[in-house]
Amino acid sequence: IVCALRATGPADSPVQPQHVKVGFPRIEGYHQINRDRERTGYGYEYLQRLALYTDFVYEYLGYDRSWDENLKMLEEGRIDLLTSALKTTERLEKFAYSDKPIGNSAAILTVRAGERRYVAEAQLARESAVRQGLDQPLPIVRAGGDAV
């Protein structure tokens, strides 16, 4: 999330709302519009909470576009803010990020339903890493045993 907070001025100074164009791609449970045309989801609720502490007034755009298309809109200056962006070296050249994350995500290994051999091996590797106190990702290993 790209965000700048307004410094508070004297109590008698008028607060001017800051209009912020937010990328709002449809993501189940994160950015949604329900049957009553109400916005919902974690990303939406987070921005509503942020608005309590800022003078931000949001305009939500890009619901009919993919997340990647919303990122392109941010790059082109058509929106001001996009949530749920992973920080990468390539993106750091183009975008600024908040100092603190707004959430965490987890990736998991996925195999075809009913396939057990890879799941069992991955579980053993994970348990071994936990026992050894590793704080780094395990290498991906090909079926022949060579590290990728």
Side-chain angles (χ1 to χ4, degrees), residues 58-104:
Y58 301 117
E59 177 184 358
Y60 294 95
L61 303 169
Y63 192 69
D64 58 339
R65 298 175 186 257
S66 70
W67 188 89
D68 287 333
E69 290 171 311
N70 274 260
L71 185 63
K72 186 71 171 166
M73 290 169 60
L74 180 63
E75 184 177 359
E76 294 170 350
R78 293 188 285 151
I79 60 174
D80 303 310
L81 186 143
L82 182 62
T83 64
S84 188
L86 296 176
K87 191 185 295 188
T88 66
T89 304
E90 180 182 295
R91 289 181 185 158
L92 280 169
E93 296 173 8
K94 300 176 186 178
F95 307 110
Y97 291 85
S98 58
D99 292 336
K100 304 281 185 195
I102 65 169
N104 296 310

Coordinates of all heavy atoms in Angstrom, one line a residue, residues 58-104:
Y58 N -12.1 8.3 -0.7 CA -11.7 7.3 -1.7 C -12.6 7.3 -2.9 O -13.8 7.5 -2.7 CB -11.7 5.9 -1.1 CG -10.7 5.7 0.0 CD1 -11.2 5.4 1.3 CD2 -9.3 5.9 -0.2 CE1 -10.3 5.2 2.3 CE2 -8.5 5.7 0.9 CZ -8.9 5.4 2.1 OH -8.1 5.2 3.2
E59 N -12.0 7.1 -4.1 CA -12.8 6.8 -5.3 C -12.2 5.5 -5.7 O -11.0 5.3 -6.0 CB -12.5 7.9 -6.4 CG -13.2 7.6 -7.7 CD -12.8 8.6 -8.8 OE1 -12.1 9.5 -8.5 OE2 -13.3 8.4 -9.9
Y60 N -13.1 4.5 -5.7 CA -12.7 3.1 -6.1 C -12.8 2.9 -7.6 O -13.9 3.1 -8.2 CB -13.5 2.1 -5.3 CG -13.3 2.2 -3.8 CD1 -14.1 3.0 -3.0 CD2 -12.2 1.5 -3.2 CE1 -13.9 3.0 -1.6 CE2 -12.0 1.6 -1.9 CZ -12.8 2.4 -1.1 OH -12.5 2.5 0.3
L61 N -11.7 2.4 -8.2 CA -11.7 2.2 -9.6 C -11.1 0.8 -9.9 O -10.4 0.2 -9.1 CB -10.8 3.2 -10.3 CG -11.2 4.7 -10.1 CD1 -10.0 5.6 -10.5 CD2 -12.4 5.0 -10.8
G62 N -11.4 0.3 -11.1 CA -10.8 -1.0 -11.5 C -11.4 -2.3 -11.1 O -10.8 -3.3 -11.2
Y63 N -12.6 -2.2 -10.6 CA -13.3 -3.5 -10.2 C -13.5 -4.5 -11.4 O -13.4 -5.7 -11.2 CB -14.6 -3.2 -9.5 CG -15.2 -4.4 -8.8 CD1 -14.6 -4.8 -7.6 CD2 -16.4 -5.0 -9.3 CE1 -15.2 -5.9 -6.9 CE2 -16.9 -6.1 -8.6 CZ -16.3 -6.5 -7.4 OH -16.8 -7.6 -6.7
D64 N -13.6 -3.9 -12.5 CA -13.8 -4.8 -13.7 C -12.5 -5.2 -14.4 O -12.4 -5.7 -15.5 CB -14.7 -4.0 -14.8 CG -14.1 -2.7 -15.2 OD1 -13.2 -2.1 -14.4 OD2 -14.5 -2.2 -16.2
R65 N -11.4 -4.9 -13.7 CA -10.0 -5.2 -14.3 C -9.3 -6.1 -13.3 O -9.6 -6.2 -12.1 CB -9.2 -3.9 -14.4 CG -9.9 -2.9 -15.4 CD -9.1 -1.6 -15.4 NE -9.8 -0.6 -16.3 CZ -9.4 -0.3 -17.5 NH1 -8.4 -0.9 -18.0 NH2 -10.1 0.6 -18.2
S66 N -8.3 -6.8 -13.8 CA -7.5 -7.7 -13.0 C -6.5 -6.9 -12.1 O -6.3 -5.7 -12.3 CB -6.6 -8.6 -14.0 OG -5.6 -7.8 -14.6
W67 N -5.9 -7.6 -11.2 CA -5.0 -6.9 -10.3 C -3.8 -6.4 -11.1 O -3.3 -5.3 -10.8 CB -4.5 -7.9 -9.2 CG -3.7 -7.2 -8.1 CD1 -4.2 -6.6 -7.0 CD2 -2.3 -7.0 -8.2 NE1 -3.1 -6.0 -6.3 CE2 -2.0 -6.2 -7.0 CE3 -1.3 -7.3 -9.0 CZ2 -0.7 -5.8 -6.7 CZ3 0.0 -6.9 -8.8 CH2 0.3 -6.2 -7.6
D68 N -3.3 -7.2 -12.0 CA -2.2 -6.7 -12.9 C -2.5 -5.5 -13.6 O -1.7 -4.5 -13.8 CB -1.7 -7.8 -13.8 CG -1.0 -8.9 -13.1 OD1 -0.4 -8.7 -12.1 OD2 -1.0 -10.1 -13.6
E69 N -3.8 -5.4 -14.1 CA -4.2 -4.2 -14.8 C -4.3 -3.0 -13.9 O -4.0 -1.9 -14.2 CB -5.6 -4.4 -15.5 CG -5.5 -5.3 -16.7 CD -6.9 -5.7 -17.2 OE1 -7.7 -6.1 -16.4 OE2 -7.1 -5.6 -18.4
N70 N -4.7 -3.2 -12.6 CA -4.7 -2.2 -11.6 C -3.3 -1.7 -11.3 O -3.1 -0.5 -11.1 CB -5.4 -2.6 -10.3 CG -6.9 -2.5 -10.4 OD1 -7.4 -1.5 -9.8 ND2 -7.6 -3.4 -11.1
L71 N -2.3 -2.6 -11.3 CA -0.9 -2.2 -11.0 C -0.5 -1.4 -12.2 O 0.2 -0.4 -11.9 CB -0.1 -3.5 -10.9 CG 1.4 -3.2 -10.5 CD1 1.5 -2.6 -9.2 CD2 2.2 -4.5 -10.6
K72 N -0.8 -1.7 -13.4 CA -0.5 -0.9 -14.5 C -1.1 0.5 -14.4 O -0.5 1.5 -14.7 CB -0.9 -1.6 -15.8 CG -0.5 -0.9 -17.1 CD 1.0 -1.0 -17.3 CE 1.4 -0.5 -18.7 NZ 2.8 -0.4 -18.8
M73 N -2.4 0.6 -13.9 CA -3.0 1.9 -13.7 C -2.2 2.7 -12.7 O -2.1 3.9 -12.8 CB -4.5 1.7 -13.2 CG -5.4 1.1 -14.3 SD -7.0 0.5 -13.7 CE -7.7 2.0 -12.9
L74 N -1.7 2.1 -11.6 CA -0.9 2.8 -10.7 C 0.4 3.3 -11.3 O 0.8 4.5 -11.1 CB -0.6 1.8 -9.5 CG 0.3 2.4 -8.4 CD1 -0.4 3.6 -7.7 CD2 0.7 1.4 -7.4
E75 N 1.0 2.5 -12.1 CA 2.3 2.9 -12.8 C 2.0 4.1 -13.7 O 2.8 5.0 -13.8 CB 2.8 1.7 -13.6 CG 4.1 2.0 -14.2 CD 4.7 0.8 -15.0 OE1 4.1 -0.3 -14.9 OE2 5.8 0.9 -15.6
E76 N 0.9 4.1 -14.3 CA 0.5 5.2 -15.3 C -0.1 6.4 -14.6 O -0.4 7.4 -15.3 CB -0.5 4.7 -16.3 CG 0.1 3.6 -17.2 CD -0.9 2.9 -18.1 OE1 -2.1 3.1 -17.9 OE2 -0.4 2.1 -19.0
G77 N -0.3 6.4 -13.3 CA -0.8 7.5 -12.5 C -2.3 7.6 -12.6 O -2.9 8.7 -12.2
R78 N -3.0 6.6 -13.1 CA -4.5 6.7 -13.2 C -5.1 6.4 -11.9 O -6.3 6.7 -11.7 CB -5.0 5.8 -14.3 CG -4.6 6.2 -15.7 CD -5.2 5.4 -16.8 NE -4.6 4.1 -16.9 CZ -5.2 3.0 -17.3 NH1 -6.5 3.1 -17.7 NH2 -4.6 1.9 -17.4
I79 N -4.4 5.7 -10.9 CA -4.8 5.5 -9.6 C -3.7 6.0 -8.7 O -2.5 6.0 -9.1 CB -5.3 4.1 -9.2 CG1 -4.2 3.1 -9.5 CG2 -6.6 3.7 -10.0 CD1 -4.5 1.7 -9.0
D80 N -4.0 6.2 -7.4 CA -3.0 6.7 -6.4 C -2.5 5.6 -5.5 O -1.4 5.7 -4.9 CB -3.6 7.8 -5.6 CG -4.1 9.0 -6.4 OD1 -3.4 9.4 -7.3 OD2 -5.3 9.4 -6.2
L81 N -3.3 4.6 -5.3 CA -3.0 3.6 -4.3 C -3.5 2.2 -4.7 O -4.6 2.2 -5.3 CB -3.7 4.1 -3.0 CG -3.5 3.4 -1.7 CD1 -3.4 4.4 -0.6 CD2 -4.6 2.4 -1.4
L82 N -2.8 1.2 -4.3 CA -3.2 -0.2 -4.6 C -2.8 -1.0 -3.4 O -1.6 -1.0 -3.0 CB -2.6 -0.7 -5.9 CG -3.0 -2.1 -6.4 CD1 -4.5 -2.2 -6.6 CD2 -2.2 -2.5 -7.6
T83 N -3.7 -1.8 -2.9 CA -3.3 -2.7 -1.7 C -2.9 -4.0 -2.2 O -3.1 -4.4 -3.4 CB -4.5 -2.9 -0.8 OG1 -5.6 -3.5 -1.5 CG2 -5.0 -1.5 -0.3
S84 N -2.4 -4.8 -1.3 CA -2.0 -6.2 -1.6 C -0.9 -6.4 -2.6 O -1.0 -7.3 -3.4 CB -3.3 -7.0 -2.0 OG -3.0 -8.4 -2.1
A85 N 0.0 -5.5 -2.6 CA 1.2 -5.7 -3.5 C 2.4 -6.3 -2.8 O 2.7 -5.8 -1.8 CB 1.6 -4.3 -4.1
L86 N 2.9 -7.3 -3.4 CA 4.1 -7.9 -2.9 C 5.3 -7.0 -3.3 O 5.4 -6.5 -4.4 CB 4.4 -9.3 -3.4 CG 3.3 -10.3 -3.0 CD1 3.6 -11.7 -3.6 CD2 3.3 -10.5 -1.5
K87 N 6.2 -6.8 -2.3 CA 7.4 -5.9 -2.6 C 8.4 -6.8 -3.3 O 8.9 -7.8 -2.8 CB 7.9 -5.4 -1.3 CG 9.0 -4.3 -1.5 CD 9.6 -3.9 -0.2 CE 8.7 -3.2 0.8 NZ 9.4 -2.7 2.0
T88 N 8.8 -6.3 -4.5 CA 9.9 -7.0 -5.3 C 10.9 -6.0 -5.7 O 10.6 -4.8 -5.7 CB 9.3 -7.6 -6.6 OG1 8.8 -6.6 -7.5 CG2 8.2 -8.6 -6.3
T89 N 12.1 -6.4 -6.0 CA 13.2 -5.6 -6.5 C 12.7 -4.8 -7.7 O 12.9 -3.5 -7.8 CB 14.4 -6.4 -6.8 OG1 14.8 -7.2 -5.7 CG2 15.6 -5.5 -7.2
E90 N 12.1 -5.4 -8.6 CA 11.6 -4.7 -9.9 C 10.6 -3.7 -9.5 O 10.7 -2.5 -10.1 CB 11.0 -5.8 -10.8 CG 10.5 -5.2 -12.1 CD 9.8 -6.2 -13.0 OE1 10.6 -7.1 -13.4 OE2 8.6 -6.1 -13.2
R91 N 9.7 -4.0 -8.6 CA 8.6 -3.0 -8.3 C 9.2 -1.8 -7.5 O 8.7 -0.7 -7.5 CB 7.5 -3.7 -7.5 CG 6.7 -4.6 -8.4 CD 5.5 -5.2 -7.7 NE 4.8 -6.1 -8.5 CZ 4.1 -7.1 -8.0 NH1 3.9 -7.3 -6.7 NH2 3.5 -7.9 -8.8
L92 N 10.2 -2.1 -6.7 CA 10.8 -1.0 -5.9 C 11.4 0.1 -6.8 O 11.5 1.3 -6.3 CB 12.0 -1.5 -5.0 CG 11.5 -2.2 -3.7 CD1 12.7 -2.9 -3.0 CD2 10.9 -1.2 -2.8
E93 N 11.7 -0.2 -8.0 CA 12.2 0.9 -9.0 C 11.0 1.8 -9.4 O 11.3 2.9 -9.9 CB 12.8 0.2 -10.2 CG 14.1 -0.6 -9.8 CD 14.6 -1.4 -11.0 OE1 14.1 -1.2 -12.1 OE2 15.5 -2.2 -10.8
K94 N 9.8 1.3 -9.3 CA 8.6 2.1 -9.8 C 7.7 2.6 -8.7 O 7.0 3.5 -9.0 CB 7.8 1.2 -10.7 CG 8.6 0.6 -11.9 CD 7.7 -0.3 -12.7 CE 8.4 -1.0 -13.8 NZ 7.6 -1.9 -14.5
F95 N 7.7 1.9 -7.5 CA 6.6 2.2 -6.6 C 7.2 2.4 -5.2 O 8.3 1.9 -4.9 CB 5.6 1.1 -6.5 CG 5.0 0.7 -7.8 CD1 5.3 -0.5 -8.4 CD2 4.1 1.6 -8.4 CE1 4.8 -0.9 -9.6 CE2 3.6 1.2 -9.7 CZ 3.9 0.0 -10.3
A96 N 6.5 3.2 -4.3 CA 6.9 3.3 -2.9 C 5.9 2.4 -2.1 O 4.8 2.2 -2.5 CB 6.8 4.8 -2.5
Y97 N 6.4 1.9 -1.0 CA 5.6 1.0 -0.2 C 5.5 1.6 1.3 O 6.4 2.3 1.7 CB 6.3 -0.4 -0.1 CG 6.2 -1.1 -1.4 CD1 7.2 -0.9 -2.4 CD2 5.2 -2.1 -1.6 CE1 7.1 -1.7 -3.5 CE2 5.2 -2.8 -2.8 CZ 6.1 -2.6 -3.8 OH 6.1 -3.3 -4.9
S98 N 4.5 1.2 1.9 CA 4.3 1.5 3.4 C 5.4 0.8 4.1 O 6.0 -0.2 3.7 CB 3.0 1.2 3.9 OG 2.7 -0.2 3.7
D99 N 5.8 1.4 5.3 CA 6.9 0.8 6.1 C 6.4 -0.5 6.7 O 7.2 -1.4 6.9 CB 7.3 1.8 7.2 CG 8.0 3.0 6.7 OD1 8.6 2.9 5.6 OD2 8.0 4.0 7.4
K100 N 5.2 -0.6 7.1 CA 4.6 -1.8 7.7 C 3.7 -2.5 6.8 O 2.9 -1.9 6.0 CB 3.9 -1.4 9.0 CG 4.7 -0.6 10.0 CD 5.6 -1.5 10.8 CE 6.3 -0.7 11.8 NZ 7.4 -1.3 12.4
P101 N 3.7 -3.8 6.8 CA 2.7 -4.6 6.0 C 1.3 -4.4 6.5 O 1.1 -4.1 7.7 CB 3.2 -6.0 6.1 CG 3.9 -6.1 7.4 CD 4.5 -4.7 7.6
I102 N 0.3 -4.5 5.6 CA -1.1 -4.4 6.0 C -1.7 -5.8 6.3 O -2.8 -5.9 6.6 CB -1.9 -3.6 5.0 CG1 -2.0 -4.4 3.7 CG2 -1.4 -2.2 4.8 CD1 -3.0 -3.8 2.7
G103 N -0.9 -6.8 6.0 CA -1.4 -8.2 6.3 C -0.3 -9.2 5.9 O 0.8 -8.8 5.5
N104 N -0.6 -10.4 6.1 CA 0.3 -11.5 5.7 C -0.4 -12.5 4.8 O -1.6 -12.7 4.9 CB 0.8 -12.2 7.0 CG 1.6 -11.3 7.9 OD1 2.5 -10.7 7.5 ND2 1.2 -11.3 9.2

